[in-house]
Amino acid sequence: MHAVTALPFPLVIALVAGPAPDALDAPDAAATEGEPASAEPEPTSTTPEPASAEPEPASATSEPASATSDAAAPAPRPPRIDGPYLGATMFGGLGLLRVNDFDTPGPFSVAGATASVGQMVFPWLGLGLHGGGSGGVRSADGARQRLGQGHLGVEFKFVPLPKRLPLLSLRTSFGFGGGAVRQEGIAQRSGFGGAQFSGAVRYELFPWAARRRPYRGGGFGLGPELGWVGFTPAAAGRPMSNVVYLALTTTFYFGS
């Protein structure tokens, strides 16, 4: 018979009880050391970088700046001397006349009014009809003389610099008309007539157009005018009339 070797009592208890729970649950050291990346992922591999997540400051501010500059650009102003128009003028000035039957050596004090209707066919050119009348008086050398005259003609209105000076205009007209001079103590009158010419320079202001017509052309304009109305003599020494005046003009432009 073989002899049975007696085992120590602690070893017998360890074999009967089995392996410890900590030993079963503990991972293999060699496996843990060989696979560190697969056991626990690195935080940097899944977290996006801050630089790529946020847009660059330059690209974020460039678009609002361009939008602000476009919004701040002022809209072009509409033309004021534009479209059909109706106008009236009140003037005063001095007249130099010559008639056949009595002497008129001195100037006449003249006052009158005119009216016009027309159309601006181009930004620099308008066509219309122009007419009016005036009266004057002269008291000198013991004689009191009175003047009356009128005319009707075709009007041309020029805006020589529509972009630089859009409110400055030049007006010329030609037509026909006539007048007469009367003197106290003389029953008869002495007159003149025939072709009539005029020219003027005008500067108009539109004080209410920016508020009432901000996006439409035309408007109510008023301003000063310096001009001349003349009845030229048909021959040397024949009757004639020349009036130089300063006027206040009012014109309403309907716009195109």
Side-chain angles (χ1 to χ4, degrees):
M1 294 180 66
H2 295 282
V4 178
T5 304
L7 296 176
F9 185 75
L11 181 58
V12 174
I13 295 176
L15 293 175
V16 174
D22 296 338
L24 295 176
D25 296 337
D28 190 9
T32 303
E33 293 178 359
E35 300 177 359
S38 61
E40 185 175 354
E42 296 181 0
T44 58
S45 62
T46 59
T47 304
E49 296 181 359
S52 61
E54 297 181 358
E56 297 181 358
S59 62
T61 57
S62 60
E63 294 183 358
S66 61
T68 304
S69 62
D70 295 340
R77 294 182 179 179
R80 294 304 172 199
I81 301 179
D82 183 45
Y85 63 86
L86 293 172
T89 301
M90 295 175 290
F91 65 87
L94 296 177
L96 298 176
L97 291 89
R98 182 174 63 216
V99 291
N100 291 333
D101 298 330
F102 37 80
D103 293 334
T104 56
F108 285 73
S109 298
V110 180
T114 62
S116 60
V117 56
Q119 166 77 44
M120 296 299 296
V121 294
F122 297 108
W124 55 272
L125 175 62
L127 299 177
L129 295 176
H130 176 79
S134 60
V137 62
R138 172 184 175 271
S139 296
D141 303 329
R144 180 177 177 83
Q145 297 173 338
R146 293 176 297 156
L147 165 69
Q149 61 182 7
H151 66 276
L152 178 66
V154 179
E155 178 184 72
F156 296 88
K157 181 177 291 189
F158 299 95
V159 183
L161 300 173
K163 293 184 178 180
R164 298 183 59 184
L165 293 173
L167 306 182
L168 178 68
S169 61
L170 305 177
R171 185 181 59 79
T172 62
S173 69
F174 68 91
F176 65 94
V181 176
R182 292 180 178 273
Q183 182 171 328
E184 290 183 353
I186 301 177
Q188 64 181 7
R189 64 179 181 178
S190 184
F192 53 89
Q196 177 271 332
F197 302 92
S198 67
V201 56
R202 176 185 300 182
Y203 191 86
E204 297 176 273
L205 302 175
F206 295 82
W208 302 285
R211 180 168 56 90
R212 297 186 178 182
R213 305 169 68 95
Y215 307 110
R216 295 177 55 194
F220 180 77
L222 71 162
E225 176 179 295
L226 179 63
W228 160 80
V229 177
F231 292 85
T232 58
R238 298 298 301 272
M240 60 104 181
S241 171
N242 291 285
V243 176
V244 178
Y245 66 86
L246 181 63
L248 173 64
T249 66
T250 58
T251 308
F252 186 81
Y253 297 89
F254 293 89
S256 57

